[in-house]
């Protein structure tokens, strides 16, 4: 795992904290937060892997610790999270997250 991969995961996690709620529903199982799932999606895109490729996280304890993951999610969890988070509007989500960031973090 490269330093840039860890940086992408940490940045994605930091950007979503305050812009997204912790969980998508009150009745959520609360195994993974939306922040963590978004960071996994960012890593999946950065590393150009498929949904099943997120299993690589089980081999990198430092990255899992950075993201606060106690276990690795199933590929279907990541797939459903992407559908929920993006819903065909990835730019709108990124703008929403960006607007929730503190201006000092942007510079």
């Amino acid at each position: 795992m490269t330093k840039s991969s860890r940086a992408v995961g940490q940045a994605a996690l930091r950007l979503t904290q305050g812009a997204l709620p912790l969980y998508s529903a009150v009745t959520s199982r609360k195994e993974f937060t939306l922040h963590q799932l978004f960071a996994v999606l960012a890593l999946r895109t950065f590393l150009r892997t498929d949904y099943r490729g997120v299993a690589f996280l089980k081999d990198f304890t430092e990255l899992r610790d950075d993201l606060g993951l106690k276990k690795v999610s199933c590929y279907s969890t990541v797939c459903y999270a992407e559908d929920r988070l993006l819903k065909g509007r990835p730019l709108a989500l990124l703008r929403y997250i960006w607007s929730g960031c503190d201006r000092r973090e942007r510079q």
Side-chain angles (χ1 to χ4, degrees):
M1 183 61 47
T2 63
K3 287 183 181 181
S4 58
S5 298
R6 286 184 71 189
V8 166
Q10 291 169 347
L13 188 67
R14 189 179 67 249
L15 286 173
T16 57
Q17 291 174 340
L20 292 175
L22 279 179
Y23 302 102
S24 60
V26 176
T27 58
S28 173
R29 291 175 54 186
K30 297 178 177 48
E31 288 183 80
F32 307 102
T33 66
L34 288 178
H35 310 147
Q36 292 168 328
L37 291 171
F38 186 83
V40 171
L41 285 169
L43 283 169
R44 184 185 83 78
T45 303
F46 179 74
L47 297 173
R48 296 185 178 126
T49 185
D50 61 355
Y51 293 109
R52 292 180 190 261
V54 298
F56 75 90
L57 287 170
K58 69 180 177 192
D59 297 328
F60 298 101
T61 56
E62 295 131 1
L63 185 55
R64 278 197 331 267
D65 290 344
D66 289 347
L67 301 179
L69 295 172
K70 295 179 179 139
K71 64 179 188 174
V72 178
S73 65
C74 176
Y75 73 92
S76 62
T77 303
V78 177
C79 183
Y80 292 134
E82 184 175 64
D83 286 344
R84 254 191 331 271
L85 288 169
L86 301 182
K87 290 184 184 173
R89 321 179 295 271
L91 291 177
L93 175 68
L94 291 175
R95 285 187 190 119
Y96 178 73
I97 291 170
W98 187 255
S99 69
C101 296
D102 187 11
R103 288 186 183 266
R104 287 173 284 162
E105 287 184 15
R106 292 184 199 171
Q107 299 173 353

